[in-house]
mmCIF file of all heavy atoms in Angstrom:
data_model
loop_
_atom_site.group_PDB
_atom_site.id
_atom_site.type_symbol
_atom_site.label_atom_id
_atom_site.label_comp_id
_atom_site.label_asym_id
_atom_site.label_seq_id
_atom_site.Cartn_x
_atom_site.Cartn_y
_atom_site.Cartn_z
ATOM 1 N N TYR A 11 -120.415 34.115 0.645
ATOM 2 C CA TYR A 11 -121.343 32.959 0.333
ATOM 3 C C TYR A 11 -122.722 33.694 0.256
ATOM 4 O O TYR A 11 -123.063 34.565 1.009
ATOM 5 C CB TYR A 11 -121.372 31.976 1.515
ATOM 6 C CG TYR A 11 -119.937 31.433 1.788
ATOM 7 C CD1 TYR A 11 -119.107 32.080 2.743
ATOM 8 C CD2 TYR A 11 -119.433 30.353 1.027
ATOM 9 C CE1 TYR A 11 -117.827 31.605 2.936
ATOM 10 C CE2 TYR A 11 -118.200 29.934 1.191
ATOM 11 C CZ TYR A 11 -117.377 30.597 2.260
ATOM 12 O OH TYR A 11 -116.059 30.117 2.427
ATOM 13 N N ARG A 12 -123.448 33.082 -0.726
ATOM 14 C CA ARG A 12 -124.919 33.659 -0.934
ATOM 15 C C ARG A 12 -125.652 32.591 -1.656
ATOM 16 O O ARG A 12 -125.117 31.619 -2.189
ATOM 17 C CB ARG A 12 -124.857 34.988 -1.799
ATOM 18 C CG ARG A 12 -124.223 34.777 -3.194
ATOM 19 C CD ARG A 12 -124.406 36.014 -3.937
ATOM 20 N NE ARG A 12 -123.712 35.950 -5.240
ATOM 21 C CZ ARG A 12 -124.028 35.259 -6.355
ATOM 22 N NH1 ARG A 12 -125.145 34.572 -6.321
ATOM 23 N NH2 ARG A 12 -123.347 35.368 -7.365
ATOM 24 N N THR A 13 -126.965 32.746 -1.711
ATOM 25 C CA THR A 13 -127.824 31.845 -2.482
ATOM 26 C C THR A 13 -127.617 32.152 -3.947
ATOM 27 O O THR A 13 -127.245 33.274 -4.327
ATOM 28 C CB THR A 13 -129.235 32.079 -2.048
ATOM 29 O OG1 THR A 13 -129.671 33.441 -2.309
ATOM 30 C CG2 THR A 13 -129.549 31.735 -0.536
ATOM 31 N N TYR A 14 -127.956 31.110 -4.737
ATOM 32 C CA TYR A 14 -127.926 31.144 -6.192
ATOM 33 C C TYR A 14 -128.793 32.304 -6.693
ATOM 34 O O TYR A 14 -129.873 32.572 -6.040
ATOM 35 C CB TYR A 14 -128.509 29.900 -6.667
ATOM 36 C CG TYR A 14 -128.932 29.825 -8.216
ATOM 37 C CD1 TYR A 14 -128.039 29.531 -9.134
ATOM 38 C CD2 TYR A 14 -130.210 30.163 -8.501
ATOM 39 C CE1 TYR A 14 -128.490 29.570 -10.471
ATOM 40 C CE2 TYR A 14 -130.690 30.074 -9.816
ATOM 41 C CZ TYR A 14 -129.714 29.875 -10.737
ATOM 42 O OH TYR A 14 -130.149 29.868 -12.110
ATOM 43 N N GLN A 15 -128.314 32.853 -7.612
ATOM 44 C CA GLN A 15 -129.128 33.950 -8.341
ATOM 45 C C GLN A 15 -129.179 33.633 -9.807
ATOM 46 O O GLN A 15 -128.137 33.180 -10.465
ATOM 47 C CB GLN A 15 -128.488 35.336 -8.216
ATOM 48 C CG GLN A 15 -128.365 35.775 -6.821
ATOM 49 C CD GLN A 15 -127.611 37.031 -6.633
ATOM 50 O OE1 GLN A 15 -126.984 37.627 -7.506
ATOM 51 N NE2 GLN A 15 -127.528 37.591 -5.357
ATOM 52 N N PRO A 16 -130.258 33.816 -10.534
ATOM 53 C CA PRO A 16 -130.333 33.619 -12.002
ATOM 54 C C PRO A 16 -129.129 34.278 -12.659
ATOM 55 O O PRO A 16 -128.795 35.432 -12.278
ATOM 56 C CB PRO A 16 -131.601 34.277 -12.441
ATOM 57 C CG PRO A 16 -132.569 34.166 -11.085
ATOM 58 C CD PRO A 16 -131.554 34.406 -9.968
ATOM 59 N N GLY A 17 -128.475 33.542 -13.552
ATOM 60 C CA GLY A 17 -127.226 34.039 -14.237
ATOM 61 C C GLY A 17 -126.039 33.333 -13.605
ATOM 62 O O GLY A 17 -124.990 33.165 -14.341
ATOM 63 N N ASP A 18 -126.079 32.820 -12.388
ATOM 64 C CA ASP A 18 -124.969 32.073 -11.833
ATOM 65 C C ASP A 18 -124.715 30.768 -12.540
ATOM 66 O O ASP A 18 -123.632 30.167 -12.474
ATOM 67 C CB ASP A 18 -125.306 31.710 -10.381
ATOM 68 C CG ASP A 18 -125.080 32.953 -9.393
ATOM 69 O OD1 ASP A 18 -124.472 33.910 -9.860
ATOM 70 O OD2 ASP A 18 -125.614 32.918 -8.337
ATOM 71 N N GLU A 19 -125.765 30.222 -13.204
ATOM 72 C CA GLU A 19 -125.787 28.947 -13.820
ATOM 73 C C GLU A 19 -124.605 28.713 -14.821
ATOM 74 O O GLU A 19 -123.958 27.652 -14.913
ATOM 75 C CB GLU A 19 -127.054 28.473 -14.394
ATOM 76 C CG GLU A 19 -127.581 29.305 -15.537
ATOM 77 C CD GLU A 19 -128.408 30.510 -15.201
ATOM 78 O OE1 GLU A 19 -128.418 30.792 -13.923
ATOM 79 O OE2 GLU A 19 -128.999 31.166 -15.989
ATOM 80 N N TYR A 20 -124.176 29.822 -15.437
ATOM 81 C CA TYR A 20 -123.070 29.752 -16.383
ATOM 82 C C TYR A 20 -121.737 29.472 -15.707
ATOM 83 O O TYR A 20 -120.876 28.641 -16.171
ATOM 84 C CB TYR A 20 -123.029 31.019 -17.361
ATOM 85 C CG TYR A 20 -124.420 31.168 -18.069
ATOM 86 C CD1 TYR A 20 -125.278 32.089 -17.471
ATOM 87 C CD2 TYR A 20 -124.674 30.355 -19.137
ATOM 88 C CE1 TYR A 20 -126.497 32.261 -18.157
ATOM 89 C CE2 TYR A 20 -125.832 30.547 -19.806
ATOM 90 C CZ TYR A 20 -126.748 31.435 -19.287
ATOM 91 O OH TYR A 20 -127.992 31.582 -19.894
ATOM 92 N N GLN A 21 -121.471 30.224 -14.688
ATOM 93 C CA GLN A 21 -120.173 30.069 -13.912
ATOM 94 C C GLN A 21 -120.213 28.672 -13.154
ATOM 95 O O GLN A 21 -119.215 28.011 -13.094
ATOM 96 C CB GLN A 21 -119.968 31.179 -12.969
ATOM 97 C CG GLN A 21 -119.453 32.444 -13.668
ATOM 98 C CD GLN A 21 -118.981 33.467 -12.571
ATOM 99 O OE1 GLN A 21 -117.970 33.250 -11.967
ATOM 100 N NE2 GLN A 21 -119.676 34.510 -12.293
ATOM 101 N N VAL A 22 -121.472 28.291 -12.688
ATOM 102 C CA VAL A 22 -121.488 26.986 -11.964
ATOM 103 C C VAL A 22 -121.250 25.861 -13.049
ATOM 104 O O VAL A 22 -120.420 25.025 -12.709
ATOM 105 C CB VAL A 22 -123.024 26.855 -11.476
ATOM 106 C CG1 VAL A 22 -123.150 25.370 -10.993
ATOM 107 C CG2 VAL A 22 -123.157 27.645 -10.156
ATOM 108 N N HIS A 23 -121.739 25.975 -14.113
ATOM 109 C CA HIS A 23 -121.525 24.922 -15.235
ATOM 110 C C HIS A 23 -120.028 24.986 -15.459
ATOM 111 O O HIS A 23 -119.402 23.832 -15.493
ATOM 112 C CB HIS A 23 -122.264 25.362 -16.490
ATOM 113 C CG HIS A 23 -121.772 24.521 -17.668
ATOM 114 N ND1 HIS A 23 -120.848 24.911 -18.539
ATOM 115 C CD2 HIS A 23 -122.202 23.224 -18.131
ATOM 116 C CE1 HIS A 23 -120.553 24.048 -19.412
ATOM 117 N NE2 HIS A 23 -121.476 22.968 -19.150
ATOM 118 N N ASP A 24 -119.411 26.120 -15.681
ATOM 119 C CA ASP A 24 -117.895 26.032 -16.090
ATOM 120 C C ASP A 24 -117.060 25.404 -14.940
ATOM 121 O O ASP A 24 -116.208 24.655 -15.175
ATOM 122 C CB ASP A 24 -117.498 27.459 -16.398
ATOM 123 C CG ASP A 24 -118.083 27.979 -17.660
ATOM 124 O OD1 ASP A 24 -118.736 27.237 -18.411
ATOM 125 O OD2 ASP A 24 -117.991 29.256 -17.895
ATOM 126 N N LEU A 25 -117.311 25.809 -13.751
ATOM 127 C CA LEU A 25 -116.640 25.299 -12.469
ATOM 128 C C LEU A 25 -116.768 23.726 -12.409
ATOM 129 O O LEU A 25 -115.770 22.990 -12.220
ATOM 130 C CB LEU A 25 -117.004 26.034 -11.244
ATOM 131 C CG LEU A 25 -116.477 25.449 -9.999
ATOM 132 C CD1 LEU A 25 -115.030 25.870 -9.833
ATOM 133 C CD2 LEU A 25 -117.283 25.947 -8.766
ATOM 134 N N VAL A 26 -118.036 23.323 -12.393
ATOM 135 C CA VAL A 26 -118.282 21.913 -12.227
ATOM 136 C C VAL A 26 -117.737 21.082 -13.326
ATOM 137 O O VAL A 26 -117.104 20.084 -13.149
ATOM 138 C CB VAL A 26 -119.751 21.715 -12.052
ATOM 139 C CG1 VAL A 26 -120.040 20.210 -11.940
ATOM 140 C CG2 VAL A 26 -120.287 22.355 -10.691
#
Side-chain angles (χ1 to χ4, degrees):
Y11 306 92
R12 61 172 173 75
T13 57
Y14 162 89
Q15 298 171 356
D18 288 339
E19 61 271 13
Y20 302 102
Q21 286 192 68
V22 168
H23 169 266
D24 293 346
L25 174 72
V26 173

